[in-house]
Amino acid sequence: MYELILLLGVVAAFVAGTKAQAIGVSLKLLDDPKAEAHKAHVSAVPQVGSVLLFASLLAIAIAAALFGRGLVFIPIVLCASLVGALGIIDDRLKLSWVSRFVALWLIIAVLLVLSPELLITSLHWSWGQTSDLGLVGGSAFTALCLVGLVIALNMMDGFNGGILSQGIVWSLTFAYLATGPATTVLLTVTATLFVILYFNLPSKLFMGDGGAYALGLFMGASAIMMYSADTNATVYADTIVVWLALPVFDCLRVIFRRKLRGESPFLPQRDHLHHLLMKSVHRHAGLVFSFLYTAISSLAAILKPEASYIIVLVQLLTLAVVVAVTSSKPKAVPPSPAE
């Protein structure tokens, strides 16, 4: 019965996907390309990926409450839903970055109070050293990491399938590492992300800020859970960096570049890595690269966790080379419809 409820959540997500346009209209969650110059799609698309994700998260919470399995996910589901709701409000009202930033910190503070086991109080590195952060330092560091990932994933959500393909890799990786009910929960999330991807690739719906925020917090908390709990393989602090490298590194690159040019780092522009790939290589190059970059790195970290720091260095070098090459190439093809 536990697994049946989780399956019903996935089915509910699929049904919601078939009604995406109607849901988007009723909730006034439509991405109109006329409203923002950087948009590439030509007609209004419902931003209801969050609704599909919420359906599955709700099933996870209900199943945990009824059967006492996967209880550790209840605070994560609650706070992921809260940041998702924040994103939905932002999609509708276009909140300022200050208000979003403050709200994110508050929600994540609630998560860490409800789930103190997520606090990272020490960092065990793959090269053998350990950095002790203490309770105060660990709390601030954990919150900063979660806030940063939510923001980075949202900033990267600019092309169909991008954050969803990475989310699928992450959830499958975590499901492999996890034990007990956590494995079932993470496989349920994987199935839900495949459902959302099915509707997202042909632009029948977008994730929107709500979907990106919720996915970012859920995956960030799950990654920390894999680090803190007993798993089927060794997980170091820099193993988490391997998993989440692409959105974080690209976000930091874009923020630094914009600051050097005297621009706001949070204004929507088309200067992310996937934009460079789409303009200079192929309209699907961003999707292919983001999936392969994340999947190959995650697999390498599973096979050789003690080499996580080397994998991170290779990831940084790869990103630098790709950015340099694509930045110097002329525009090859027009970008595909994207968020």
Side-chain angles (χ1 to χ4, degrees):
M1 184 60 71
Y2 173 78
E3 289 79 7
L4 177 60
I5 293 177
L6 297 182
L7 177 60
L8 288 175
V10 179
V11 172
F14 181 83
V15 173
T18 63
K19 307 295 183 181
Q21 189 67 34
I23 295 173
V25 171
S26 63
L27 296 178
K28 297 181 180 179
L29 289 174
L30 295 174
D31 189 344
D32 188 353
K34 298 177 182 178
E36 298 179 74
H38 73 287
K39 300 290 186 179
H41 54 284
V42 296
S43 60
V45 178
Q47 297 175 290
V48 297
S50 56
V51 176
L52 278 66
L53 186 57
F54 287 168
S56 185
L57 293 181
L58 178 60
I60 291 170
I62 291 174
L66 290 178
F67 298 96
R69 298 170 62 184
L71 290 171
V72 67
F73 283 98
I74 290 183
I76 297 174
V77 166
L78 170 63
C79 293
S81 299
L82 287 175
V83 296
L86 172 66
I88 289 175
I89 294 172
D90 180 47
D91 281 329
R92 289 195 58 174
L93 304 180
K94 303 302 178 185
L95 302 174
S96 69
W97 263 102
V98 173
S99 59
R100 278 181 283 173
F101 195 67
V102 171
L104 276 175
W105 276 95
L106 290 175
I107 294 171
I108 288 172
V110 171
L111 173 61
L112 297 182
V113 170
L114 296 176
S115 300
E117 66 273 11
L118 293 178
L119 290 175
I120 303 175
T121 56
S122 61
L123 299 172
H124 305 289
W125 304 102
S126 60
W127 59 86
Q129 290 186 334
T130 298
S131 304
D132 293 320
L133 302 177
L135 179 60
V136 175
S139 300
F141 177 76
T142 306
L144 177 63
C145 289
L146 289 173
V147 169
L149 180 62
V150 170
I151 293 173
L153 209 62
N154 185 53
M155 291 181 70
M156 193 177 187
D157 185 29
F159 65 114
N160 293 346
I163 64 173
L164 287 169
S165 63
Q166 291 177 80
I168 288 169
V169 172
W170 294 331
S171 56
L172 283 175
T173 300
F174 303 158
Y176 170 79
L177 294 171
T179 58
T183 301
T184 307
V185 169
L186 290 163
L187 288 176
T188 300
V189 172
T190 304
T192 304
L193 294 180
F194 270 114
V195 167
I196 302 174
L197 184 67
Y198 172 80
F199 294 103
N200 176 243
L201 284 178
S203 293
K204 293 182 179 179
L205 62 79
F206 289 161
M207 285 294 282
D209 289 351
Y213 280 18
L215 182 62
L217 185 56
F218 184 89
M219 288 302 170
S222 297
I224 295 174
M225 188 189 302
M226 295 303 105
Y227 175 71
S228 304
D230 292 330
T231 61
N232 290 320
T234 304
V235 177
Y236 296 102
D238 38 328
T239 306
I240 300 179
V241 178
V242 171
W243 294 335
L244 309 176
L246 185 56
V248 174
F249 289 168
D250 192 50
C251 178
L252 292 174
R253 177 190 68 83
V254 168
I255 289 175
F256 182 71
R257 178 178 178 273
R258 293 178 184 176
K259 291 296 290 184
L260 285 179
R261 297 172 60 177
E263 301 170 346
S264 169
F266 301 120
L267 286 178
Q269 298 183 42
R270 301 186 64 81
D271 55 353
H272 285 277
L273 176 62
H274 58 271
H275 291 131
L276 299 177
L277 288 164
M278 290 162 65
K279 290 178 182 178
S280 62
V281 181
H282 190 274
R283 62 183 182 179
H284 299 309
L287 173 59
V288 173
F289 178 83
S290 63
F291 173 75
L292 292 178
Y293 185 95
T294 305
I296 293 173
S297 300
S298 298
L299 178 60
I302 288 176
L303 297 176
K304 288 288 185 180
E306 67 278 4
S308 290
Y309 72 99
I310 298 176
I311 299 172
V312 172
L313 293 176
V314 173
Q315 288 177 304
L316 280 170
L317 178 61
T318 302
L319 186 62
V321 170
V322 172
V323 168
V325 171
T326 55
S327 297
S328 62
K329 289 186 65 174
K331 182 176 178 180
V333 295
S336 64
E339 300 179 48

